[in-house]
C-alpha cells in the first residue's frame, strides 16, 4: 500500500481543531491505521492547541502527516521560532504545558525543529506495520491473504503479495476474480448476490467502527 505524505494548511483557531481531527481519522482509515486514530487525534488536538495558546489566534500553520519507517509522523508547522513547546508534569495544577505532556504520554517520541522561517513541532506514533508499504497484520487480513494464496494457486493467478504497484495491482485482480467466483457460487445455489454483498458491506463497516471505538 502506498501511503503518500499529505499536508493541510489551516488557521490556528479552536474551530479548526475538530476539522483537523476528522481529516486525520479519514486518512488513517484510508491507510489501514484505524487502531491509532485516538492517539493521533489527541496529538493533533494538543499540538494545534499549543500553537493557538502560545503563538496566537489566527496564526497560519500547516499539519503534515507521513509514515516514517513503521511510525506515523505528525508535524505542525508555525512561523514563530521563539515560542517553544513547554513540557510540564501532568500532576501539577498548572494547565500550561499539559498538552505536550499528553503528547509525551502517548507518542513514542516528539521534538521541535527550528528552521529559518518556521518551527516544526513533531511526534511519532508506533504502528503495527511491519514495513512502510505493508499492512497491519489483523486476523481478518491474514485470513484473507491465506485464502487468496490458495485461490491464486488453484486459478494459476499471480497473488501479488510483494511490495510495489504491480504487485498491488495483481493482488487486486485476484481479489476481483475471487469475488466474481463467489458471486457465481451464490447464483448457482439460488442466493441473492446483491443481498449478500450488502450484508458483507454492513458487517465490514460495523467491524471498522468497532475497531475505531475500541482503539
Amino acid at each position: 500500500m502506498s501511503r503518500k505524505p499529505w499536508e493541510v494548511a489551516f488557521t490556528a483557531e479552536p474551530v479548526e481543531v475538530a476539522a483537523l481531527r476528522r481529516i486525520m481519522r479519514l486518512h488513517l482509515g484510508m491507510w489501514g491505521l484505524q487502531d491509532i486514530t485516538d492517539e493521533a487525534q489527541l496529538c493533533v488536538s494538543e499540538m494545534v492547541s499549543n500553537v493557538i495558546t502560545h503563538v496566537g489566534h489566527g496564526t497560519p500553520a500547516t499539519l503534515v502527516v507521513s509514515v516514517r519507517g513503521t511510525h506515523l509522523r505528525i508535524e505542525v508547522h508555525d512561523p514563530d521560532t521563539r515560542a517553544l513547546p513547554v513540557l510540564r508534569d501532568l500532576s501539577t495544577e498548572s494547565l500550561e504545558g499539559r498538552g505536550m505532556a499528553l503528547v509525551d504520554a502517548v507518542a513514542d517520541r516528539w521534538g521541535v525543529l527550528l528552521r529559518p522561517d518556521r518551527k516544526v513541532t513533531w511526534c511519532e506514533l508506533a504502528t503495527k506495520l511491519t514495513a512502510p508499504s505493508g499492512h497491519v497484520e489483523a486476523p481478518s487480513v491474514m485470513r484473507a491473504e491465506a485464502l487468496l494464496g490458495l485461490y491464486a494457486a488453484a486459478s494459476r493467478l499471480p497473488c501479488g503479495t510483494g511490495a510495489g504497484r504491480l504487485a498491488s495491482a495483481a493482488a487486486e485482480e485476484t481479489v476481483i476474480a475471487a469475488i466474481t467466483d463467489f458471486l457465481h457460487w451464490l447464483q448457482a445455489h439460488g442466493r441473492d448476490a446483491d443481498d449478500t454483498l450488502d450484508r458483507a458491506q454492513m458487517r465490514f463497516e460495523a467491524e471498522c467502527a468497532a475497531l475505531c471505538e475500541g482503539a
Side-chain angles (χ1 to χ4, degrees):
M1 175 186 293
S2 175
R3 297 182 175 91
K4 185 178 180 180
W6 57 272
E7 63 180 63
V8 58
F10 65 93
T11 301
E13 298 288 354
V15 69
E16 294 283 355
V17 176
L20 293 172
R21 286 171 60 88
R22 287 194 296 270
I23 293 171
M24 176 63 77
R25 177 178 289 275
L26 175 63
H27 277 84
L28 291 185
M30 294 170 60
W31 284 356
L33 300 176
Q34 299 94 330
D35 58 313
I36 59 170
T37 297
D38 288 347
E39 291 87 347
Q41 288 184 316
L42 183 148
C43 289
V44 168
S45 296
E46 299 306 333
M47 291 165 69
V48 172
S49 295
N50 193 71
V51 176
I52 296 172
T53 301
H54 299 288
V55 181
H57 288 253
T59 299
T62 305
L63 173 67
V64 180
V65 181
S66 61
V67 172
R68 297 285 185 92
T70 59
H71 283 74
L72 179 74
R73 184 179 176 93
I74 303 170
E75 299 178 356
V76 173
H77 299 221
D78 73 72
D80 194 332
T81 59
R82 297 169 299 174
L84 301 181
V86 177
L87 179 62
R88 295 189 186 279
D89 192 334
L90 282 173
S91 62
T92 63
E93 294 184 0
S94 174
L95 295 178
E96 183 177 350
R98 295 190 65 180
M100 294 312 299
L102 290 172
V103 173
D104 183 68
V106 302
D108 265 24
R109 46 186 175 262
W110 71 277
V112 180
L113 299 173
L114 295 179
R115 305 299 189 200
D117 60 340
R118 68 190 186 279
K119 171 173 83 260
V120 180
T121 305
W122 62 269
C123 70
E124 293 186 349
L125 299 171
T127 71
K128 295 179 181 178
L129 296 174
T130 56
S133 59
H135 56 76
V136 175
E137 295 186 349
S140 57
V141 177
M142 301 306 292
R143 288 195 298 269
E145 288 208 333
L147 286 172
L148 285 174
L150 293 172
Y151 181 88
S155 307
R156 297 183 179 179
L157 293 171
C159 189
T161 57
R165 182 174 298 178
L166 292 177
S168 178
E172 186 174 345
E173 287 302 316
T174 303
V175 171
I176 292 171
I179 292 174
T180 302
D181 280 354
F182 276 120
L183 294 176
H184 284 300
W185 183 91
L186 289 166
Q187 185 181 57
H189 288 76
R191 304 299 179 86
D192 188 332
D194 288 336
D195 178 65
T196 302
L197 288 173
D198 287 342
R199 289 164 56 196
Q201 181 69 26
M202 290 174 62
R203 179 178 295 184
F204 169 72
E205 291 174 355
E207 290 179 356
C208 287
L211 179 61
C212 289
E213 291 174 0

